[in-house]
Amino acid sequence: MTLTYRILTVCTGNICRSPMAEYALREAVEAEGLAGEVEIASAGTTGWESGNPIDPRAGALLREHGIDPSGHRARRMDPEELRSADLVLALDHDHVDPIRSVLGADRAAETLRMVRDFAPEPVEDTGIRDPWYGDESGFELTWEQITEAVDGILDHVRAGREQSAQDGARR
C-alpha cells in the first residue's frame, strides 16, 4: 500500500509565492520519481484573489524554467485540506497565525513550517517577502529562496514517509 504524503504551500493570495513553491516542489518530486506518492497543492490565507490565474510575472518566471502554470487558479485555504496535510509550508511570517488558528497549536506544531526552514544553511529570517509589490527582480529572489529549500523539503518528505510506513507496519 502506497501512503500519500500531502504538502500544502500557503501565502496571502495564492497568485505568487505559494504557487511558485507548489510548482517547484512538483518538478522536484517528479524528478525524484515520487509523483504518485506525494501530492502538492497551494492556497492563500485570504480569498482576495480567488479564481484568478497566477501573477503574470510569476507565470513568466515559471515558464522560463520550463514550467507551465496556466492551469493555476487562486483559492483560499480549506480547513480540512490544512488538517489533512502532512506538511504545511508558510511562505512568510504573517501566514503562520492564520494557519495556526485553523490547525490548532498541537497540529501546527506537527505540520507547520516555513519554506526557508529547509534552506541548506540556516537563515536569520525565514520569511519570503511578497514580490507582488516590486518588479521581476523580486520574483527572481522569491524563486531563489524557494528553490534553495527544495532539497531540504524533499529530505523531510522522505523521512516523513519512512516514519509513516514504519508506523503503519507496527499496527
Side-chain angles (χ1 to χ4, degrees), residues 13-15 47-55 72-75:
N14 190 223
I15 60 168
W48 297 338
E49 299 286 348
S50 289
N52 289 336
I54 196 165
D55 180 280
H72 178 78
R73 293 294 173 265
R75 64 193 183 91

Side-chain angles (χ1 to χ4, degrees), residues 5-10 17-35 38-42 62 67 87-91 114-115 118 143 145-158:
Y5 192 94
R6 292 178 178 86
I7 300 172
L8 183 64
T9 64
V10 181
R17 293 168 288 178
S18 61
M20 290 170 72
E22 173 189 2
Y23 283 102
L25 286 168
R26 279 189 184 168
E27 288 288 307
V29 161
E30 287 179 22
E32 292 289 318
L34 298 171
V38 179
E39 292 178 3
I40 304 154
S42 65
L62 289 173
I67 300 169
L87 179 60
V88 178
L89 294 169
L91 275 290
M114 300 290 292
V115 168
F118 298 97
W143 182 252
Q145 292 173 330
I146 289 168
T147 56
E148 78 175 356
V150 166
D151 287 343
I153 294 168
L154 286 180
D155 289 345
H156 180 83
V157 168
R158 283 186 207 95

Side-chain angles (χ1 to χ4, degrees), residues 131-149:
W132 190 84
Y133 298 99
D135 60 18
E136 286 77 8
S137 66
F139 287 85
E140 291 167 10
L141 176 61
T142 296
W143 182 252
E144 289 170 16
Q145 292 173 330
I146 289 168
T147 56
E148 78 175 356

